């Protein structure tokens, strides 16, 4: 499996005439060799790979790293890279420019003066854009775990309960179901706070009749889930019901339109044009969605400016919303995997308007 992932590097070796690629981004390292620790580097040549770490990680690397030779670097890692480059004639090495700081690059360039370093841009991360079966299974599992955690927490949502209490209860439920942690700081935004698309849980107490937007996700085996529900705590105002219904229809229309070959821009427009025709075009400011995987936000991007096209195996969110300053907001989000002719929804919390 990991070897087949490395085949995705082939086009970079060819396009840039490289002898090796150096990875320091932990997500890419995990994807390509299985190492889940917090420090290391992976050097991949056309026919070999070396995982470099210090003594703190040697045992973990021996356990986790697949299809790569583990090399413990006693002193400075860059010296080991120089030695490998000379031993195996790796004269031209690509590196992840998008994940390298200027100072790290300067240090590397100084030490590797005999080697040509080639900047590989953010498109290197595209190797992870289409998920393989193992990843889809992991993303499916974490999505299910997270949706079940929400279902367990819903009965706790009552007038007087603070947004942070809900966020904490949700995290506890996720962890007790096997999550390593939360995928991001949950958004729990009630009443007027719902107008903030990224309103993190505050100590505000929820009032009767308020809408509550909960955007949540779990992290397991390095993979993230992402889902949003907007519920009503007690009988909502008619306008809130109407907005929920518009967002729900926009969400459903977009999910129905997901298929390989559709451009992400066109898919965004499916939801956006519906919301615009209902008179709320100015109240949907963000893109329709994003890729989810080893990062919570990764490629592709679903927005009016996107140049991406959906392909089978991509895992993306569909999350239209309407935000009205001084009133509140509604967002509904599911994570889906693009299949051969449509999509399968991985997240499973009910998206109908739930009145608690
Ligand atoms: Zn979300
Ligand atoms: Zn999202």
């Amino acid at each position: 499996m990991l070897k087949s992932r490395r085949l995705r590097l082939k086009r970079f070796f060819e396009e840039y005439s490289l002898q090796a690629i150096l990875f320091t981004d932990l997500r890419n390292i995990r994807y390509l060799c299985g190492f889940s620790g917090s420090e290391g580097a992976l050097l991949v040549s056309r026919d070999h790979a070396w995982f470099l770490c210090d003594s703190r990680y040697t045992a973990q690397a021996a356990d986790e790293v697949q299809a790569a030779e583990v090399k413990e670097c006693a002193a400075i890692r860059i010296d080991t890279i120089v030695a490998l480059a000379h031993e195996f004639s790796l004269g031209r090495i690509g590196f992840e420019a998008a994940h390298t700081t200027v100072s790290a690059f300067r240090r590397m360039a100084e030490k590797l003066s005999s080697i040509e370093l080639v900047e590989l841009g953010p498109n290197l991360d595209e190797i992870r854009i289409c998920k393989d079966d193992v990843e889809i299974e992991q993303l499916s599992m974490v999505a299910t775990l997270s949706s079940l955690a929400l279902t367990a927490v819903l009965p706790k949502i009552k007038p007087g309960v603070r947004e942070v209490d809900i966020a904490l209860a949700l995290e506890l439920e996720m962890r007790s179901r096997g999550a390593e942690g939360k995928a991001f700081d949950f958004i729990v935004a009630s009443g007027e706070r719902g107008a903030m698309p990224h309103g993190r849980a505050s100590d505000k107490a929820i009032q009767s009749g308020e809408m509550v937007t909960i955007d949540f996700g779990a992290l397991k085996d390095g993979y993230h889930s992402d889902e949003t529900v907007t519920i009503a705590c007690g009988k909502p105002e008619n306008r809130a019901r109407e907005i929920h219904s518009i967002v729900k229809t926009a969400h459903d229309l977009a999910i129905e339109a997901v298929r390989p070959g559709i451009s992400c821009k066109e898919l965004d427009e499916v939801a956006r044009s519906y919301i615009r025709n209902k008179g709320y075009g100015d109240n949907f400011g963000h893109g329709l969605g994003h890729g989810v995987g080893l990062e919570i936000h990764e490629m592709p991007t679903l927005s009016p400016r996107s140049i991406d096209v959906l392909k089978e195996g991509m895992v993306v969110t569909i999350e239209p919303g309407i935000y009205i300053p001084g009133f509140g907001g509604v967002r509904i989000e599911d994570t889906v995997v693009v299949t051969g002719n449509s999509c399968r929804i991985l997240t499973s919390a009910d998206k109908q308007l739930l009145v608690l």
Side-chain angles (χ1 to χ4, degrees):
M1 182 53 74
L2 295 181
K3 277 199 165 166
S4 75
R5 289 179 186 176
R6 277 188 223 153
L7 291 177
R8 299 184 184 194
L9 298 175
K10 195 166 174 259
R11 75 175 171 98
F12 293 94
F13 279 108
E14 283 167 5
E15 194 176 322
Y16 296 92
S17 307
L18 303 173
Q19 268 107 45
I21 303 177
L22 176 65
F23 290 92
T24 48
D25 179 76
L26 291 166
R27 280 78 50 109
N28 285 337
I29 289 174
R30 187 170 193 159
Y31 179 75
L32 292 167
C33 80
F35 178 72
S36 70
S38 50
E39 174 71 29
L42 180 71
L43 185 66
V44 183
S45 72
R46 285 176 184 248
D47 54 10
H48 203 79
W50 299 267
F51 176 73
L52 316 173
C53 62
D54 64 50
S55 59
R56 294 171 299 166
Y57 296 102
T58 314
Q60 185 180 356
D63 197 36
E64 293 180 342
V65 171
Q66 294 173 43
E69 191 181 324
V70 176
K71 279 208 163 297
E72 185 182 306
C73 307
I76 301 167
R77 189 167 72 200
I78 205 91
D79 292 342
T80 310
I81 296 169
V82 174
L84 286 171
H86 287 145
E87 188 181 344
F88 294 92
S89 309
L90 310 173
R92 207 172 140 80
I93 301 181
F95 72 99
E96 301 160 298
H99 302 297
T100 305
T101 61
V102 173
S103 56
F105 171 71
R106 286 196 181 132
R107 275 197 307 276
M108 188 160 72
E110 195 185 320
K111 286 270 185 184
L112 297 178
S113 54
S114 57
I115 294 157
E116 238 182 302
L117 288 171
V118 180
E119 276 187 40
L120 302 176
N123 67 343
L124 183 58
D125 293 342
E126 271 177 37
I127 54 170
R128 305 195 327 248
I129 201 168
C130 289
K131 276 59 183 173
D132 57 39
D133 291 348
V134 172
E135 294 188 285
I136 291 169
E137 181 57 31
Q138 281 168 317
L139 285 160
S140 172
M141 269 169 38
V142 70
T144 302
L145 175 160
S146 174
S147 303
L148 289 173
L150 179 81
T151 310
V153 165
L154 286 176
K156 296 196 168 106
I157 304 177
K158 295 186 174 80
V161 170
R162 295 177 312 160
E163 293 171 354
V164 283
D165 297 326
I166 297 167
L168 188 59
L170 201 44
E171 188 177 351
L172 276 173
E173 280 293 338
M174 285 177 181
R175 282 188 172 261
S176 72
R177 287 161 199 270
E180 294 154 21
K182 52 187 180 178
F184 51 90
D185 281 339
F186 301 148
I187 289 157
V188 182
S190 58
E192 287 186 20
R193 292 193 76 248
M196 294 188 286
H198 274 188
R200 282 194 190 136
S202 73
D203 59 6
K204 175 188 174 296
I206 295 166
Q207 311 294 314
S208 179
E210 281 185 340
M211 300 288 273
V212 187
T213 299
I214 308 173
D215 189 343
F216 61 103
L219 174 67
K220 187 170 163 55
D221 300 324
Y223 286 86
H224 299 78
S225 70
D226 195 5
E227 182 169 19
T228 306
V229 294
T230 302
I231 53 150
C233 181
K235 197 169 175 292
E237 287 178 47
N238 286 340
R239 190 182 184 198
R241 271 188 195 280
E242 181 205 327
I243 291 168
H244 191 283
S245 157
I246 295 167
V247 174
K248 172 73 167 58
T249 305
H251 159 274
D252 293 354
L253 289 171
I255 287 188
E256 278 166 30
V258 173
R259 58 176 165 77
I262 190 170
S263 74
C264 294
K265 184 180 167 172
E266 194 186 334
L267 186 59
D268 177 279
E269 182 60 15
V270 170
R272 196 168 302 281
S273 60
Y274 181 80
I275 289 174
R276 192 188 305 125
N277 291 339
K278 292 289 177 182
Y280 290 101
D282 293 339
N283 303 93
F284 177 23
H286 58 75
L288 179 66
H290 53 87
V292 185
L294 287 167
E295 285 176 273
I296 181 65
H297 292 123
E298 56 180 46
M299 288 190 279
T301 300
L302 281 60
S303 79
R305 293 164 301 283
S306 177
I307 51 163
D308 299 323
V309 175
L310 286 188
K311 290 197 186 98
E312 186 173 357
M314 287 184 180
V315 172
V316 296
T317 66
I318 301 292
E319 50 180 308
I322 292 178
Y323 311 93
I324 303 170
F327 178 76
V330 171
R331 179 167 64 259
I332 298 174
E333 174 181 30
D334 273 309
T335 299
V336 307
V337 53
V338 182
T339 58
N341 55 4
S342 59
C343 72
R344 179 162 64 87
I345 306 175
L346 301 180
T347 38
S348 53
D350 193 358
K351 300 299 177 315
Q352 299 293 338
L353 177 57
L354 191 64
V355 181
L356 294 169

